[in-house]
Amino acid sequence: MQRRFLQLAWLLLAVGLVRSEVLAQGAYSVVPDQVYATVTDALGQPLDLALDLYLPDAQRGPRPVVVWIHGGSWISGDKANPPAEPLAGAGYAVASINYRLLADAIWPAQLHDCKAAIRWLRAHAALFDLDPDRIGVWGGSAGGHLAHMLNVTGDATTGRVGGESIDLEGSVGAYLGESSRVQASAAFYPPTELLRISQFPNVVDVDAPGSPESQLVGAALQTVPARAKSAGPLAFLGREDAPMFFAHGSIDVVVPMDQSAHVAQVARDSFGLDVALEVVRDAGHGVIGFPPDASYAFFDRVLKNLGDPTVSITANANLLEGGGGTGSFIVTRSGSVALPLDVHLAYGGSAGVGTDVAALPHRVTIAPGSPSALVTPTVLDDALVEGTETLRAFVRHSVEYRIDANATQAELELLDDESPAALPTITLAVPDDTATENGDNGLVRLSRSGSLASVLAVDLRVSGDALRGRDFQEPGSTVVFPVGAATADVSVVPVDDDIAEPSELIVFEVLPGANYAVGAARVGHVALYDDDRTSGVPILNFGVSDPVADEAGESGRITVYATDVSGVATPMSVALAGSALPGIDFAMPGPLEMPAFGLVTNAEFTPLPDGLVEGDEEVVATLQAAPGFQLGIVDQARLRIRDANAPILGPAPIAFEMTSMSIGTMAVASLSKGPPLAPYVIYMSQERAFIPLPILAYPVLIAPIDLIVLSSGSLDFFGSRDLAVPVPYDPTLLERRYHFQALVLASPILLSERVERIPTAPL
């Protein structure tokens, strides 16, 4: 009552008075109903979009900001009473925002509105004493979805999903010159991959045209897979993304737990991002069981308690393929230069690291006494007609510094030295953009201009979440135009399996070649539809509701979910593998059974303490078919058993990083902090071990039995080395976890920290 009375007083007096409240943490004031943009509603009438600001009274100086985005299935909800409000008593500025609901606009209008709010906050940072370089976003359900979408889309103006382009930035509001990038995102039970939701228990048929998810994208989800994917963060994940936090209930039947767990796993294991996932055992959808303390701690770590320097990145000049270009990235810090500062970088753009330029460092040290450091790419000359390409560098998050929101990335142009004059131009079209497992094939057509007198081979990249050789027949990576042919066709032939799958995308892209130029129409996609989803037959999928068990006494849990109930109890068969041994490292779980009229069943894994120094071990469970059920897309789950006897590791002597690993692409590894010119070896293993050797300052963390040497050579004068490693296109790699470590032959022998990756499909 006091809150509403004082907000009414604000409206009546229309002066600069604000209310104050005192919590246990401290006092703060509220500035309500600040209009950050005006748009039009469904009737074409003006609609004001507003936010409420909660400002700490005691703290002065630029304050970190947390933006709360309400949930409500994009259909309802309001900015009032945000769960983030207590942060205002802990030194944060909190902004709670409204955005257009589905009654007024569909996707991506909601993202455009949220970005306009971020830009408004930056434009008014000085007025409200906000730190424009420390803005985090937090939301629940649909609001959590928008929070993570803000993170992964950054300052990108457009994005591509398959052959479709999507406007990611929009033009809402009056401050389009400000950055919409955020520095952290947190979400309670967010939808993240709309096409996957129906694989798990759900109170609503999300694939139906009237579901909130289908309404969001303007059509039944499974009929528009590219548009549905554009409304999920997985489509835009990148190495440059800010830290993420997820919290999800293990028995959520509104937004299944898999929605958080899968994206968090891909972001962490395949992109090396700073990601935290908290699974709340036996909690459903809603605030019950979701204490916000973990979110508060997350924002304290990644927003509030950062180092003093502010880091920015710029670029100069251009890169020339034939040599002579002087382009560099300049990484600059503010403040004291007395100590060295390590800055973490990621790279993107149309120029490929390892193909167009040599491998680039992912950790750059600004030397003592210097305000900046240079990163100068080495161009790899080739005979391909590529035109002008771009190379972008991004500053990644670190607790050691803040990132200038207006200079988080820089771009260099790479100028090609091949001329397309007199060469044929290749374009791509998709005459039949659908394929179905029941025998309906898709069709992709390449066309060439100019002379037809010779045979012409054209290189093609085939990617997407449908995997060639497993979901559809291998089309090959080269398309040949016979003599006299102006067109060449690629038939998309599905592989008919018995897995109930969501709709998938097969993406085709014409690659540059030496004997042709590539036209503007170079990318297209075919949607692959499943024929195994049988109405009334429930789908089984795995989930890990507690993926870590500990020898010190904490059990782990693997969960099997069914999309619908069965009238009889049904035994579930699970095959166990992995480095952890049943009966030795963990007690065998009892018989697993889906109860009659049940949607969830759990297998508890209790570690058996053995007193041995082993390091973490892993249980790999594979779900078998069960009578009366269909198998879904998640038939394998992994559970880690944490060793209670291994010592807690400090920082490794050698710093080692690895970029995202997608099959059929280049992965880039980066070594630093080593002795100048020392020999090194980078090796990998599918198993993890823990081998403390007295001659080493840091233990070997991967198993020597299946060890593979990935690369060897010598560090440079700065004690660093960067290299690009091709990852084969092998779908079997997707189910495997790989461990990487580097060894430097110095005195003493030095080892790096371990890097863990599960390769992803090349989206």
Side-chain angles (χ1 to χ4, degrees):
M1 179 64 70
Q2 179 190 20
R3 173 182 301 164
R4 293 181 180 176
F5 172 78
L6 288 170
Q7 287 181 337
L8 179 62
W10 162 270
L11 295 174
L12 292 175
L13 294 173
V15 295
L17 300 176
V18 293
R19 69 179 173 90
S20 294
E21 285 188 7
V22 178
L23 299 182
Q25 297 163 299
Y28 59 95
S29 305
V30 178
V31 183
D33 298 321
Q34 300 296 294
V35 175
Y36 67 82
T38 300
V39 294
T40 55
D41 62 17
L43 300 176
Q45 300 300 309
L47 174 65
D48 287 342
L49 301 175
L51 58 82
D52 297 334
L53 273 174
Y54 300 76
L55 302 174
D57 288 343
Q59 182 174 335
R60 293 293 178 260
R63 298 168 283 211
V65 184
V66 171
V67 179
W68 171 258
I69 309 173
H70 69 78
S73 302
W74 312 281
I75 294 173
S76 62
D78 186 75
K79 59 184 171 61
N81 305 315
E85 182 176 350
L87 286 171
Y92 292 86
V94 174
S96 184
I97 70 173
N98 279 342
Y99 53 90
R100 274 175 289 179
L101 303 175
L102 291 180
D104 289 311
I106 65 171
W107 183 257
Q110 294 73 24
L111 179 62
H112 295 169
D113 295 349
C114 293
K115 290 200 168 192
I118 302 298
R119 295 193 297 264
W120 186 94
L121 289 167
R122 285 209 166 92
H124 292 80
L127 177 62
F128 294 110
D129 219 6
L130 312 177
D131 189 337
D133 299 328
R134 290 187 293 163
I135 298 180
V137 284
W138 182 17
S141 195
H145 159 263
L146 292 170
H148 286 319
M149 287 303 298
L150 282 169
N151 185 341
V152 301
T153 57
D155 287 315
T157 55
T158 59
R160 179 172 290 278
V161 179
E164 292 191 16
S165 181
I166 177 174
D167 179 4
L168 296 175
E169 188 70 22
S171 55
V172 175
Y175 301 100
L176 299 177
E178 297 287 347
S179 170
S180 62
R181 182 176 291 277
V182 300
Q183 283 69 52
S185 60
F188 285 172
Y189 33 84
T192 60
E193 295 182 80
L194 304 187
L195 294 172
R196 285 173 66 106
I197 294 178
S198 61
Q199 289 275 313
F200 293 83
N202 200 273
V203 294
V204 175
D205 181 4
V206 297
D207 291 340
S211 74
E213 291 81 2
S214 292
Q215 290 183 57
L216 179 69
V217 298
L221 283 180
Q222 302 296 337
T223 66
V224 286
R227 205 182 315 162
K229 289 178 182 295
S230 79
L234 190 65
F236 304 107
L237 274 176
R239 283 274 295 174
E240 71 277 12
D241 294 337
M244 301 177 182
F245 173 82
F246 296 82
H248 221 117
S250 67
I251 57 171
D252 192 333
V253 292
V254 176
V255 178
M257 183 198 70
D258 172 79
Q259 291 288 290
S260 286
H262 184 245
V263 171
Q265 182 252 312
V266 173
R268 179 185 59 245
D269 290 347
S270 299
F271 286 85
L273 297 177
D274 182 342
V275 180
L277 169 65
E278 181 168 312
V279 175
V280 184
R281 276 195 179 195
D282 304 320
H285 195 78
V287 296
I288 297 175
F290 285 83
D293 296 11
S295 296
Y296 298 163
F298 167 74
F299 285 122
D300 281 350
R301 179 175 65 85
V302 302
L303 279 187
K304 192 176 183 182
N305 302 325
L306 299 181
D308 289 332
T310 297
V311 172
S312 60
I313 188 167
T314 55
N316 61 13
N318 290 319
L319 301 170
L320 300 178
E321 195 176 71
T326 57
S328 295
F329 296 111
I330 306 124
V331 182
T332 305
R333 61 172 165 179
S334 66
S336 173
V337 298
L339 299 174
L341 178 66
D342 285 344
V343 178
H344 301 261
L345 300 176
Y347 303 93
S350 57
V353 176
T355 53
D356 295 304
V357 297
L360 292 163
H362 284 72
R363 189 182 309 214
V364 175
T365 300
I366 302 179
S370 176
S372 62
L374 283 181
V375 177
T376 303
T378 300
V379 177
L380 302 176
D381 199 1
D382 57 35
L384 304 179
V385 180
E386 297 164 298
T388 299
E389 298 175 288
T390 59
L391 177 67
R392 291 197 300 273
F394 308 84
V395 181
R396 297 188 71 204
H397 167 79
S398 169
V399 297
E400 301 300 323
Y401 52 78
R402 307 175 189 188
I403 305 173
D404 184 341
N406 291 311
T408 63
Q409 61 179 291
E411 182 175 282
L412 292 169
E413 286 193 338
L414 173 54
L415 307 180
D416 194 19
D417 63 348
E418 276 76 36
S419 171
L423 293 177
T425 298
I426 306 299
T427 56
L428 181 147
V430 186
D432 186 349
D433 64 356
T434 62
T436 308
E437 285 186 4
N438 61 11
D440 175 32
N441 298 341
L443 183 66
V444 174
R445 176 165 294 157
L446 274 60
S447 300
R448 63 170 167 174
S449 66
S451 172
L452 309 180
S454 61
V455 173
L456 179 64
V458 174
D459 293 328
L460 199 65
R461 176 186 292 133
V462 185
S463 60
D465 50 358
L467 297 172
R468 64 180 195 252
R470 191 163 78 176
D471 294 311
F472 62 102
Q473 292 182 15
E474 172 64 67
S477 57
T478 302
V479 178
V480 177
F481 288 81
V483 172
T487 62
D489 290 345
V490 178
S491 183
V492 180
V493 182
V495 172
D496 195 1
D497 57 29
D498 57 359
I499 300 172
E501 300 164 287
S503 300
E504 299 171 301
L505 285 185
I506 308 169
V507 183
F508 296 85
E509 180 182 3
V510 180
L511 297 178
N515 301 315
Y516 57 87
V518 180
R522 62 183 298 170
V523 181
H525 72 260
V526 172
L528 176 58
Y529 297 110
D530 187 41
D531 67 344
D532 296 301
R533 183 75 176 262
T534 305
S535 178
V537 180
I539 300 174
L540 294 179
N541 275 295
F542 256 139
V544 182
S545 52
D546 193 344
V548 177
D550 197 305
E551 285 184 351
E554 178 186 353
S555 65
R557 177 189 284 185
I558 290 178
T559 304
V560 180
Y561 296 92
T563 56
D564 204 351
V565 297
S566 172
V568 295
T570 306
M572 298 286 109
S573 178
V574 176
L576 299 179
S579 56
L581 301 177
I584 297 176
D585 297 306
F586 63 93
M588 280 290 291
L592 193 61
E593 182 180 80
M594 186 66 69
F597 305 105
L599 296 172
V600 179
T601 186
N602 298 305
E604 299 284 343
F605 288 78
T606 303
L608 299 175
D610 53 18
L612 301 176
V613 178
E614 302 165 297
D616 294 354
E617 297 175 290
E618 191 173 52
V619 179
V620 181
T622 303
L623 184 62
Q624 311 295 307
F629 293 87
Q630 304 171 83
L631 273 182
I633 58 175
V634 188
D635 65 347
Q636 194 172 87
R638 297 172 180 271
L639 182 141
R640 177 164 294 175
I641 297 179
R642 186 176 291 142
D643 185 13
N645 303 291
I648 297 174
L649 300 178
I654 302 297
F656 178 50
E657 295 186 61
M658 178 164 273
T659 64
S660 58
M661 283 190 66
S662 295
I663 59 174
T665 63
M666 301 291 289
V668 179
S670 181
L671 279 173
S672 57
K673 298 184 178 298
L677 304 178
Y680 75 87
V681 178
I682 297 176
Y683 48 88
M684 61 179 284
S685 169
Q686 195 176 336
E687 299 294 337
R688 178 180 180 179
F690 188 99
I691 309 172
L693 300 176
I695 61 170
L696 300 176
Y698 195 75
V700 178
L701 290 178
I702 67 175
I705 297 174
D706 65 345
L707 181 148
I708 297 172
V709 174
L710 201 63
S711 175
S712 61
S714 297
L715 302 179
D716 60 21
F717 285 101
F718 303 100
S720 302
R721 179 59 64 194
D722 307 291
L723 63 146
V725 181
V727 181
Y729 190 99
D730 181 355
T732 64
L733 299 179
L734 299 175
E735 284 84 23
R736 302 180 184 178
R737 186 187 304 272
Y738 289 93
H739 308 289
F740 301 84
Q741 197 169 21
L743 178 146
V744 175
L745 298 172
S747 182
I749 295 174
L750 302 174
L751 282 164
S752 75
E753 65 256 39
R754 176 183 55 88
V755 173
E756 182 179 283
R757 292 287 180 267
I758 298 178
T760 60
L763 298 176

